[in-house]
Amino acid sequence: MMMNTSTDQRRKYLRESVLSATPARLLTMLYDRLLLDLARAEQAQAAENWQAASAQLLHAQEIIAELSSSLKKDAWDGAENLFGLYTYVSNALMAANMHRDIKATRECIALLEPLREAWHEASASLPAQNSWDPARSAGSLGVA
């Protein structure tokens, strides 16, 4: 069975984007997708499309788990607080899913949106890197 050429090209482009991204860019990409998932979950919850909402909330939980596991707690003073926020959001997303609670989803959006903006600002202030050098850039934002 032959796959759609445009779908194959899109997947290849996305894969290459991730593989060539700096750690800072990967972090902002994760936050962008996280907030997209939450916006989609909120819309699905409002429409009482619980299956779609659940899928989006589960993917958001996966992203939070990745952010939590990659956080280097000894890299900067605020890391423990950020880890605590990730734990809180993870629990809130589980509750939002189990109890079909749109308020919990909205609370997570409100908590995470300022962080997404802050990471984008921090990433933009870093010097441009032509290629990723793990020895030079790993953990530059407290994540790897």
Side-chain angles (χ1 to χ4, degrees):
M1 182 159 87
M2 189 173 206
M3 294 211 51
N4 183 336
T5 304
S6 65
T7 302
D8 288 342
Q9 289 174 340
R10 183 172 186 270
R11 284 184 184 153
K12 183 178 178 182
Y13 172 78
L14 289 174
R15 184 176 187 278
E16 293 299 320
S17 295
V18 169
L19 291 175
S20 64
T22 64
R25 178 68 184 127
L26 285 173
L27 180 64
T28 59
M29 290 168 77
L30 282 171
Y31 266 92
D32 289 344
R33 180 56 197 252
L34 175 59
L35 271 295
L36 177 63
D37 288 344
L38 292 176
R40 288 175 175 171
E42 180 186 23
Q43 290 172 347
Q45 287 173 316
E48 296 184 0
N49 183 345
W50 306 118
Q51 185 176 3
S54 179
Q56 296 299 317
L57 290 168
L58 289 172
H59 193 255
Q61 289 172 353
E62 290 174 14
I63 294 172
I64 290 292
E66 179 62 29
L67 291 169
S68 293
S69 70
S70 64
L71 183 63
K72 293 187 176 184
K73 295 179 195 168
D74 59 347
W76 55 289
D77 292 341
E80 282 293 333
N81 290 334
L82 185 56
F83 183 78
L85 179 68
Y86 288 157
T87 301
Y88 178 83
V89 167
S90 180
N91 291 332
L93 292 175
M94 284 187 268
N97 202 0
M98 290 186 327
H99 303 295
R100 299 177 174 179
D101 185 354
I102 195 170
K103 288 180 184 177
T105 303
R106 289 177 177 153
E107 178 186 21
C108 292
I109 292 169
L111 290 169
L112 294 168
E113 182 60 39
L115 284 173
R116 178 176 76 145
E117 291 174 19
W119 285 122
H120 273 277
E121 288 176 19
S123 177
S125 71
L126 293 174
Q129 297 175 346
N130 292 334
S131 63
W132 181 62
D133 176 1
R136 183 181 68 204
S137 60
S140 62
L141 290 177
V143 296

